[in-house]
Amino acid sequence: MNRPSLLHIIERLEGFLGKLPASIQKPVLHELTPLKELFLQQRPPRFVLTGSNKLPVQEVVATLFAWLSPAESHDVLMELFRWQSIDLGGHGTIALLDARGADASTTPNIQDELLRQPADMFLHLADDTDLARVPSHEVANLAALLASNSAARTEAKVIGIAIHDKAPAARAIHNGETHPPTQTNTRSKLQSELQEKLEIRKHLLQIFEFAFRPAGAAGAEMRADTQRFMSLLARELPNEARIEMVRIARDRAAQIEIAQMLVKSTTAVCAAIGAQPIPLADLPILTALQLAMVSGIMYISGRERSLRAATEFVAALGVNVGAGMILREGTRAVLKFFPGWGNVVCGMVAGAGTYGIGRAAIVYLLEGASLKDARRTYLTSRKKRAQRHRQPSRITCE
């Protein structure tokens, strides 16, 4: 399902909002916002590298994002001080701006780039040699770039990355957390240095430690470091960048969290549309929105987004797509001719059906359930949601 198709669905949805009672327009708009961010505004996450420039950018990216870079990429010159896209082996794409080593003559170019495309996260690298310099020119650069990024009305966060030649005990620390004196001083020095400047302290998220090794040489310990780092990014990035990041991180917990948000918002919007007193008008948009939800969960899981595959999955659940669905939805439309209870019941049916499809997609695509279990989840989830929202009237439209 491409963006023009999604844009058409969203435009239709916004058209429906004008027909809703004023009292429920605001809640529906609230649910529509994450759908727009996740579907229409989806983009690669944007990272700015600052601090130590001793390591080539390919090695930094390979370690932080578990990227097995092609051998030929080591001979490719990466442009400094400009946004560039990096394809992480088919798992996803990131946008990276290498601002390490910037001086008075090049900083304005970076600031222009940030005004054009604000960063989501600043990754500040440092080792013992860098931290021995007082004052640190790179920390001052980070504070200046954060200010430029904020001028674009984007509040990016900062992650400090302490560099080691040998792998230490893998840990990430939060602001204010203390450590035994036997631990390396590098991370505590880095945290203190970053916290000294108010502009950085209010954006500081965590400090990580990494042992950087040549691309392709990462062992189990390094993979554990990387997984924790990417899982944090998947939680902290803005919605527009989260889907791409969870594909890169392959973090099941984060994938399920975003999928559940997608199901919740889609269910709420479908229920509101289903309650509209306009017979037959909502059929195409309801179906398209449900299929868009399933294709979105497919993409979150690491698969390609496909309307055809989504349709096949929904049909495999036993949900009628085609003549059978038109008959069932036509019955819903007939009920709308009866004021009051007809709209309520049909809205309930639309919401319960959407929720059941979404839950089935999550257990099948993300939790590894069988198709048989997914069908059972669909039926159970739909029934439970319908019962939870059922009015005193015992009339149903199924």
Side-chain angles (χ1 to χ4, degrees):
M1 181 171 285
N2 54 34
R3 289 200 177 192
S5 298
L6 293 173
L7 178 60
H8 178 68
I9 294 172
I10 296 297
E11 288 175 345
R12 289 283 305 277
L13 282 172
E14 291 175 335
F16 272 106
L17 288 181
K19 304 181 180 72
L20 291 173
S23 59
I24 62 172
Q25 281 190 22
K26 187 175 180 180
V28 174
L29 275 173
H30 177 74
E31 298 295 346
L32 189 57
T33 297
L35 290 179
K36 293 172 71 174
E37 290 173 343
L38 292 168
F39 280 137
L40 291 181
Q41 300 167 16
Q42 179 193 335
R43 58 168 175 78
R46 301 181 190 135
F47 302 102
V48 174
L49 282 183
T50 61
S52 173
N53 60 358
K54 295 177 181 178
L55 298 169
V57 68
Q58 293 94 334
E59 190 170 328
V60 174
V61 174
T63 301
L64 297 182
F65 297 97
W67 179 43
L68 296 177
S69 57
E72 59 270 18
S73 70
H74 297 269
D75 301 322
V76 176
L77 293 177
M78 306 289 277
E79 188 176 5
L80 292 174
F81 316 134
R82 302 286 183 189
W83 285 114
Q84 52 194 324
S85 294
I86 300 178
D87 182 2
L88 301 179
H91 294 294
T93 302
I94 63 170
L96 189 73
L97 195 161
D98 190 353
R100 298 174 298 167
D103 55 25
S105 64
T106 54
T107 297
N109 296 334
I110 301 173
Q111 292 171 329
D112 289 342
E113 289 288 291
L114 293 178
L115 286 173
R116 183 174 63 85
Q117 288 188 329
D120 299 316
M121 195 78 65
F122 285 78
L123 309 177
H124 187 80
L125 281 61
D127 60 14
D128 286 324
T129 304
D130 300 307
L131 295 170
R133 300 187 187 124
V134 181
S136 173
H137 171 69
E138 287 295 336
V139 170
N141 272 352
L142 171 59
L145 295 178
L146 274 170
S148 298
N149 204 69
S150 297
R153 298 182 180 180
T154 299
E155 294 295 322
K157 296 179 181 178
V158 176
I159 293 178
I161 298 174
I163 301 173
H164 297 281
D165 293 330
K166 295 182 180 180
R171 285 200 65 181
I173 67 173
H174 294 268
N175 292 337
E177 188 180 352
T178 58
H179 297 272
T182 54
Q183 298 246 345
T184 177
N185 289 327
T186 305
R187 65 179 166 212
S188 57
K189 287 180 181 178
L190 176 56
Q191 185 173 23
S192 297
E193 186 176 61
L194 294 178
Q195 287 182 327
E196 283 179 3
K197 288 187 174 291
L198 176 62
E199 301 92 332
I200 300 176
R201 182 168 69 245
K202 63 185 181 181
H203 295 280
L204 185 58
L205 187 60
Q206 281 195 26
I207 308 293
F208 278 84
E209 287 186 288
F210 279 96
F212 285 82
R213 302 172 184 171
E221 288 185 356
M222 180 173 279
R223 177 59 189 169
D225 286 345
T226 300
Q227 189 61 62
R228 280 189 287 272
F229 171 74
M230 292 196 295
S231 295
L232 176 69
L233 295 179
R235 295 193 303 270
E236 296 294 338
L237 286 169
N239 277 344
E240 305 95 285
R242 288 187 75 193
I243 285 187
E244 196 73 4
M245 191 63 232
V246 297
R247 281 172 58 87
I248 296 168
R250 302 182 284 284
D251 181 340
R252 280 293 181 238
Q255 289 173 330
I256 291 172
E257 178 190 343
I258 295 177
Q260 288 173 338
M261 179 172 63
L262 203 58
V263 172
K264 173 181 174 291
S265 295
T266 308
T267 297
V269 173
C270 283
I273 294 171
Q276 283 298 300
I278 306 175
L280 302 176
D282 62 342
L283 304 188
I285 194 169
L286 271 178
T287 304
L289 194 56
Q290 290 167 343
L291 294 178
M293 174 186 67
V294 173
S295 68
I297 297 172
M298 286 180 172
Y299 190 78
I300 290 169
S301 73
R303 299 167 174 83
E304 289 305 312
R305 193 173 358 228
S306 168
L307 182 60
R308 178 178 178 180
T311 304
E312 291 172 351
F313 172 77
V314 172
L317 293 178
V319 181
N320 294 324
V321 179
M325 185 170 185
I326 291 173
L327 179 61
R328 190 190 73 169
E329 301 299 340
T331 305
R332 291 178 56 251
V334 170
L335 276 173
K336 290 184 181 181
F337 285 110
F338 299 89
W341 57 264
N343 294 337
V344 171
V345 171
C346 291
M348 181 186 70
V349 169
T354 303
Y355 180 76
I357 291 171
R359 281 295 306 149
I362 288 174
V363 300
Y364 181 73
L365 297 169
L366 295 175
E367 297 179 7
S370 66
L371 187 57
K372 181 179 179 180
D373 289 336
R375 289 193 196 100
R376 187 180 298 113
T377 298
Y378 163 70
L379 294 171
T380 303
S381 300
R382 186 185 66 177
K383 182 178 180 180
K384 285 182 178 179
R385 185 171 181 89
Q387 288 175 342
R388 189 163 65 244
H389 295 277
R390 192 180 300 277
Q391 300 295 320
S393 170
R394 299 180 58 85
I395 300 176
T396 64
C397 49
E398 290 189 291

